[in-house]
Amino acid sequence: MRELLVPGPWSRPTAPITSRVAFAAAHVVPQVGAENVPGHPALVDWDATLGFRHRIWEHGLGVADAMDTAQRGMGLDWAATQELVRRSAAEARSVGARIACGAGTDQLDPAVVAGWTPGDPAALDAVVDAYREQVRVVQDAGAQVVVMASRALAHVARSPEDYARVYDAVIAEADRPVILHWLGTMFDPELEGYWGTTRTDDATDVFVDLVRAHQGGIDGVKVSLLDADHEKGLRARLASLDPGTGPDAPGPVRLYTGDDFNYPDLVVGDGKRHSDALLGVFAAIYPAASTALQALDAGHPDRAHAVLAATEALGRHLFTAPTYHYKTGIAFLAWLNGAQPGFQMVGGLHSGRSVAHLVALLRLADRAGLLLDPDLAARRARVFLEANGVTR
């Protein structure tokens, strides 16, 4: 193995970051040696999981927790999710850090959902009740609510009106403005036809109408479609909504980019508009992301763009198809950097990427200066390769 490079010139902020609101969507660390196999309840290493979140907070970023990066619907069951929300929110409160947590419907039994008839009012009510339960858990913990896309709703809804009915009720349940999450099928194929149509333009119209109807109850929207042009168009439409005036005015609606391919351009912006960030890739590049945002705060957008652009190849590799296995790469990088004791994931998801993919990830992370302890990373990489039969 060749000698690894030194880490990049990363810095931690000495004051809160103000130019952008930025969340890193964090993963969970399993207990080493536990039965974290497919179909088994998640057994979480809470010290390592929460320690990773503190790394992110120390770099001035917020944490988006209990979302798809934390393996919602791919190994993290509802019981473990509730514990994660409570523990993470308490840790965020202890250091005065920002946290938002996902509220969805994944406590519903998939076998029961599969038997529902599309459009059935009772089934739609069950989706609303499931959302309400999860919203209350997040709120009771003191975290901001991210209303996640629902596989159950995608199954039972047959029209935009069905989506409006459910989201009307869910947003009304929240005690402060929420973040709406539009997750594309590259992240979850079971969300095909979300918002009641398979046409992106029509879905966008439905989405904007929903935001307009609840503008005062929506802090922002997270859009994960990996389409920069679409995001810029939606960003402009959100900016055109009347924020009103006075203390009861709804205010502007943020666009939190979920585009893990095109984030340098979207976050830095064009001098007129920019996206805020709620990104899984920020969990992999948090030292660089923090350094870039500090540059924005200091009025150096070109420097910020250069820092983020130097990580873009790594991000594109992490999120290559099948995109939903990006979590494996984030966990592998966390292990190389000493943030978890073993390269394992709940639900056995560490098998989601090939050895060749992870070796390429190692090289790209090294090139980006994101192997924070090169000696440790080299030792762990050597053990990984030998265990997988790679001897030279």
Side-chain angles (χ1 to χ4, degrees):
M1 177 182 291
R2 65 177 176 82
E3 185 174 348
L4 299 179
L5 303 175
V6 299
W10 315 131
S11 61
R12 299 184 185 187
T14 57
I17 291 170
T18 58
S19 57
R20 304 288 187 271
V21 178
F23 294 94
H27 76 300
V28 294
V29 180
Q31 295 177 17
V32 174
E35 287 291 318
N36 280 297
V37 295
H40 195 281
L43 297 170
V44 178
D45 179 336
W46 294 113
D47 288 342
T49 293
L50 298 173
F52 185 75
R53 282 142 182 77
H54 278 283
R55 291 186 179 211
I56 293 169
W57 289 322
E58 288 166 2
H59 283 79
L61 305 179
V63 167
D65 220 331
M67 297 188 63
D68 41 307
T69 306
Q71 295 180 240
R72 294 293 295 274
M74 292 184 71
L76 192 74
D77 55 278
W78 176 228
T81 297
Q82 294 177 76
E83 188 72 10
L84 176 64
V85 169
R86 295 184 183 113
R87 286 177 179 261
S88 291
E91 292 295 314
R93 191 162 51 249
S94 74
V95 295
R98 185 186 290 265
I99 187 164
C101 293
T105 65
D106 52 331
Q107 75 272 48
L108 295 170
D109 185 343
V112 172
V113 172
W116 285 347
T117 301
D120 180 2
L124 290 168
D125 287 344
V127 171
V128 170
D129 289 343
Y131 264 128
R132 283 174 169 159
E133 178 187 2
Q134 295 205 12
V135 166
R136 289 169 187 150
V137 168
V138 173
Q139 290 182 159
D140 289 349
Q144 184 177 13
V145 172
V146 181
V147 182
M148 300 177 67
S150 164
R151 292 175 179 173
L153 181 55
H155 173 80
V156 75
R158 58 180 183 181
S159 68
E161 290 74 23
D162 286 342
Y163 283 90
R165 169 182 171 177
V166 169
Y167 276 84
D168 289 350
V170 174
I171 295 169
E173 185 74 19
D175 61 4
R176 60 168 163 154
V178 304
I179 299 172
L180 297 185
H181 189 187
W182 181 358
L183 192 66
T185 53
M186 68 288 294
F187 289 95
D188 189 343
E190 293 187 45
L191 299 177
E192 178 74 25
Y194 214 77
W195 307 117
T197 174
T198 57
R199 290 175 50 85
T200 301
D201 288 347
D202 292 342
T204 303
D205 290 341
V206 175
F207 189 63
V208 172
D209 286 346
L210 177 66
V211 173
R212 184 183 293 111
H214 296 282
Q215 190 173 344
I218 298 174
D219 163 54
V221 301
K222 168 179 161 58
V223 181
S224 301
L225 300 183
L226 303 183
D227 184 335
D229 289 337
H230 175 268
E231 180 168 320
K232 291 174 183 177
L234 176 57
R235 194 167 67 189
R237 292 182 68 175
L238 294 176
S240 72
L241 297 177
D242 184 2
T245 59
D248 297 324
V253 176
R254 297 180 183 275
L255 197 153
Y256 292 96
T257 186
D259 190 332
D260 302 278
F261 283 177
N262 303 296
Y263 54 91
D265 288 342
L266 293 167
V267 171
V268 175
D270 57 10
K272 295 180 180 178
R273 295 195 180 99
H274 64 263
S275 297
D276 293 289
L278 199 165
L279 287 163
V281 73
F282 271 17
I285 68 162
Y286 61 87
S290 174
T291 302
L293 295 178
Q294 291 171 63
L296 283 175
D297 277 3
H300 302 301
D302 290 344
R303 168 62 178 158
H305 191 278
V307 170
L308 291 176
T311 70
E312 193 170 6
L314 171 63
R316 286 180 175 269
H317 183 72
L318 275 166
F319 287 80
T320 193
T323 302
Y324 45 81
H325 280 307
Y326 74 89
K327 312 163 190 70
T328 303
I330 288 177
F332 184 68
L333 186 55
W335 174 63
L336 291 176
N337 279 327
Q340 60 187 76
F343 174 46
Q344 297 179 14
M345 300 175 70
V346 299
L349 202 66
H350 47 280
S351 64
R353 293 296 200 190
S354 69
V355 173
H357 176 95
L358 296 174
V359 168
L361 172 62
L362 167 67
R363 291 172 176 156
L364 289 167
D366 183 39
R367 190 180 306 160
L370 286 164
L371 296 178
L372 306 181
D373 183 341
D375 290 339
L376 174 64
R379 289 196 302 272
R380 291 191 164 185
R382 189 174 295 110
V383 168
F384 172 77
L385 293 172
E386 289 175 354
N388 282 280
V390 181
T391 57
R392 61 182 178 86

